[in-house]
Amino acid sequence: MSKNFYVTTPIYYVNGDPHVGSAYTTIACDVISRYKKTAGYDVYFLTGTDEHGQKVEEKAKEMGKTPQEWTDIMAPRFAELWKALNIENNDFIRTTEDRHKKAVAKIFKKVYDKGDIYKGSYEGKYCVSDETFVPDNQVIGENGCPHCGKELRIVKEESYFFRMSKYREALLKHIEENPNFILPEGRRNEVVSFIKDELYDLSISRNTFKWGIPLEIDPEHVIYVWFDALSNYLTAAGYLSDTEKFNKFWPADIHLVGKEIVRFHTIIWPIILMALELELPKKVYGHGWLVVDGDKMSKSKGNVIDPVALIDEFGADSIRYFLLREINLGLDGNFSREALIQRINADLANDLGNLLHRTLSMVNKFNGGLVKNTKVLEDVDTELIALAQNTVKQYQDSMDKMEISVAIRTVWNLISRSNKYIDLTGPWALAKDESKQ
Ligand code: MSP
């Protein structure tokens, strides 16, 4: 079995600062990456920024900057936040970098040369916030986006189309034969019914704005931002530029993404890869949202929490711990300051902090900072040893199932049993008795 592991976050839009919701995906990936590294894997952990498209172009304009100036201001803010959160990514890709732009142009060309791209015209609705086309039968009410509720724009333009429908049966077969390809299961069912109901050819170029990678075959057009963005997973891994690296890490082991973008990663992305005759990622996992009073935390809702302020107040470790302990990865979870403080006080300070403090201070006080293995074991000792060994197994089992919060709970069970062990054995009394020392 290969001991290489390739894990990715989505690449983040730079139309605003990162918030705790965006940090959540990155922290979860970091935890998975560290777990794999500890288990002896050579891990490649990629994150980055998604900088092209109409949304970013419009934001830059609003801020009185060119798109390039704006993205040059914003991309480092993400990189700095990841540093402050102790994220150990191996690479940070920006879609405006040359390495990416060159590779995407080649990817487009390959798919075009294969005959899977044709010219047509698109007339329909588009959501700039989600950077997605919306079929008429999905529009909510008069003109609402079915995903974010925002007002849709009417787009009428010449466009190149990707023959996605050609790959429909192959994709369904792949999903059926690889039950771990899309997780959790509920997400897989949604995707399957989407493919069955409405897998159309996709418009993959735009020609009514400029901020994107131009098509070599028709420079009036820029590549649709999702085609551009998804390709980052290939370009960063060295596709068409570093064969050794690419062969080592592709296919990706896991793309961890928020639930709202699972459909892009499990329909458009695998079909691009099929057209390129490349292997598909082993797993796409859709995590839930951080919600505040029932609403997704998002820039447009104005309910975001600034992670920088939280790190200053509570420290990066507390935030990392809270997010992954409090929220089950596959489900939505509430973010609240009260819950954060409660977890810090109860779990970190009381349970873990107390255990460390008691253990270390007694080892210092009674044993001069050293513990001799006297090989004397009583039942209470063997029970704790067995629990510790079992905890490792259970922890691994949960992590392998992406149940990070369950894995953490397993560790906390050991912590609380260890505290109990101290209460039961009373080292402060044993220390005073020569024969029990
Ligand atoms: N640029 C696209 C992804 C392209 S990947 C080829 C994008 N960017 S995003 O900035 O809008 O979102 C990036 C990630 O942040 C997603 O996984 C999204 O789910 C996550 N989150 C943003 N807000 C979130 C919450 N409130 N809660 C949890 N995750 C959230 O989509």
Side-chain angles (χ1 to χ4, degrees):
M1 204 181 97
S2 105
K3 276 290 213 179
N4 302 315
F5 194 83
Y6 181 20
V7 53
T8 69
T9 72
I11 49 173
Y12 298 90
Y13 286 131
V14 291
N15 60 316
D17 278 308
H19 53 82
V20 175
S22 24
Y24 178 63
T25 318
T26 309
I27 295 172
C29 276
D30 189 53
V31 168
I32 293 162
S33 152
R34 288 177 188 227
Y35 165 64
K36 283 291 177 183
K37 273 195 255 179
T38 311
Y41 284 77
D42 192 350
V43 175
Y44 182 54
F45 167 19
L46 174 71
T47 186
T49 39
D50 186 356
E51 303 187 6
H52 290 127
Q54 202 164 7
K55 171 152 86 169
V56 172
E57 187 184 73
E58 289 182 3
K59 182 68 191 186
K61 192 161 177 220
E62 184 193 319
M63 303 307 286
K65 307 272 180 213
T66 66
Q68 190 62 59
E69 282 168 349
W70 175 251
T71 59
D72 286 344
I73 294 170
M74 295 308 290
R77 295 204 195 161
F78 284 80
E80 279 155 24
L81 174 63
W82 305 153
K83 224 167 148 195
L85 282 168
N86 297 325
I87 303 296
E88 295 177 344
N89 51 301
N90 299 79
D91 197 355
F92 186 101
I93 190 160
R94 295 183 55 186
T95 53
T96 50
E97 284 174 76
D98 259 357
R99 63 167 167 159
H100 178 73
K101 289 193 284 191
K102 281 190 186 137
V104 171
K106 286 188 201 159
I107 290 170
F108 190 95
K109 183 83 180 1
K110 267 183 169 254
V111 181
Y112 181 76
D113 288 345
K114 198 167 180 203
D116 285 344
I117 290 173
Y118 61 93
K119 197 170 181 179
S121 71
Y122 179 83
E123 185 172 353
K125 310 238 159 132
Y126 190 82
C127 174
V128 175
S129 181
D130 291 336
E131 296 282 13
T132 193
F133 300 95
V134 177
D136 286 340
N137 64 351
Q138 283 181 26
V139 173
I140 302 290
E142 189 80 343
N143 207 13
C145 171
H147 309 292
C148 69
K150 292 217 187 100
E151 198 169 326
L152 297 165
R153 301 212 192 150
I154 308 245
V155 174
K156 189 173 179 202
E157 59 193 40
E158 187 184 86
S159 182
Y160 286 84
F161 283 83
F162 181 27
R163 238 180 263 285
M164 301 235 298
S165 48
K166 173 178 157 190
Y167 294 92
R168 180 196 158 103
E169 296 314 315
L171 181 58
L172 283 171
K173 185 162 176 270
H174 182 85
I175 295 172
E176 195 182 309
E177 286 172 0
N178 296 275
N180 287 329
F181 176 53
I182 307 172
L183 288 174
E185 205 180 328
R187 301 263 101 84
R188 176 168 68 238
N189 300 337
E190 283 166 19
V191 169
V192 168
S193 65
F194 187 92
I195 299 172
K196 285 188 174 156
D197 287 352
E198 43 206 322
L199 181 66
Y200 306 116
D201 289 353
L202 175 73
S203 163
I204 49 160
S205 77
R206 308 275 322 265
N207 75 350
T208 48
F209 70 97
K210 288 266 163 271
W211 184 234
I213 303 175
L215 299 196
E216 262 171 37
I217 51 161
D218 193 344
E220 287 302 302
H221 288 248
V222 294
I223 296 177
Y224 172 46
V225 66
W226 272 99
F227 191 98
D228 163 353
L230 289 161
S231 304
N232 93 89
Y233 303 128
L234 285 180
T235 59
Y239 181 57
L240 302 176
S241 68
D242 182 343
T243 311
E244 198 183 322
K245 180 178 177 188
F246 187 68
N247 289 342
K248 180 169 173 185
F249 289 111
W250 194 259
D253 291 273
I254 174 156
H255 296 312
L256 180 67
V257 304
K259 63 180 182 180
E260 80 284 15
I261 56 173
V262 166
R263 64 201 163 96
F264 298 94
H265 283 82
T266 54
I267 302 175
I268 304 178
W269 182 224
I271 293 183
I272 295 175
L273 292 166
M274 284 176 179
L276 294 169
E277 295 169 25
L278 292 172
E279 276 185 80
L280 306 194
K282 290 180 200 154
K283 190 182 291 179
V284 174
Y285 191 98
H287 68 68
W289 288 337
L290 250 63
V291 296
V292 181
D293 302 325
D295 252 351
K296 183 188 181 208
M297 188 188 291
S298 75
K299 282 162 258 189
S300 56
K301 297 221 167 83
N303 60 359
V304 295
I305 295 172
D306 173 14
V308 178
L310 276 190
I311 297 168
D312 285 346
E313 191 174 357
F314 300 106
D317 279 343
S318 305
I319 293 151
R320 293 171 59 107
Y321 173 77
F322 169 73
L323 291 176
L324 293 181
R325 168 64 184 83
E326 186 80 4
I327 298 156
N328 282 317
L329 195 63
L331 306 174
D332 289 353
N334 206 49
F335 182 91
S336 87
R337 196 184 154 81
E338 295 68 42
L340 169 63
I341 293 172
Q342 167 70 17
R343 286 262 168 230
I344 292 173
N345 287 339
D347 301 6
L348 297 180
N350 198 41
D351 297 345
L352 175 63
N354 232 345
L355 176 63
L356 289 176
H357 178 73
R358 297 164 93 187
T359 309
L360 294 179
S361 63
M362 283 193 284
V363 167
N364 279 328
K365 192 164 163 200
F366 303 129
N367 280 57
L370 293 172
V371 184
K372 255 196 311 204
N373 185 354
T374 57
K375 310 247 157 68
V376 179
L377 289 176
E378 290 176 13
D379 285 352
V380 68
D381 304 306
T382 40
E383 275 163 25
L384 189 69
I385 291 168
L387 179 71
Q389 286 164 341
N390 199 26
T391 299
V392 175
K393 283 198 210 85
Q394 280 185 3
Y395 179 87
Q396 289 172 332
D397 198 43
S398 302
M399 286 299 287
D400 291 339
K401 289 194 282 194
M402 304 285 291
E403 292 174 345
I404 302 179
S405 148
V406 178
I408 298 174
R409 259 178 274 164
T410 315
V411 177
W412 250 259
N413 181 42
L414 177 63
I415 290 171
S416 82
R417 289 284 294 275
S418 301
N419 270 319
K420 201 164 157 215
Y421 171 84
I422 295 178
D423 297 338
L424 281 173
T425 52
W428 49 88
L430 299 176
K432 290 189 193 126
D433 179 343
E434 197 62 24
S435 68
K436 297 259 171 89
Q437 234 170 8

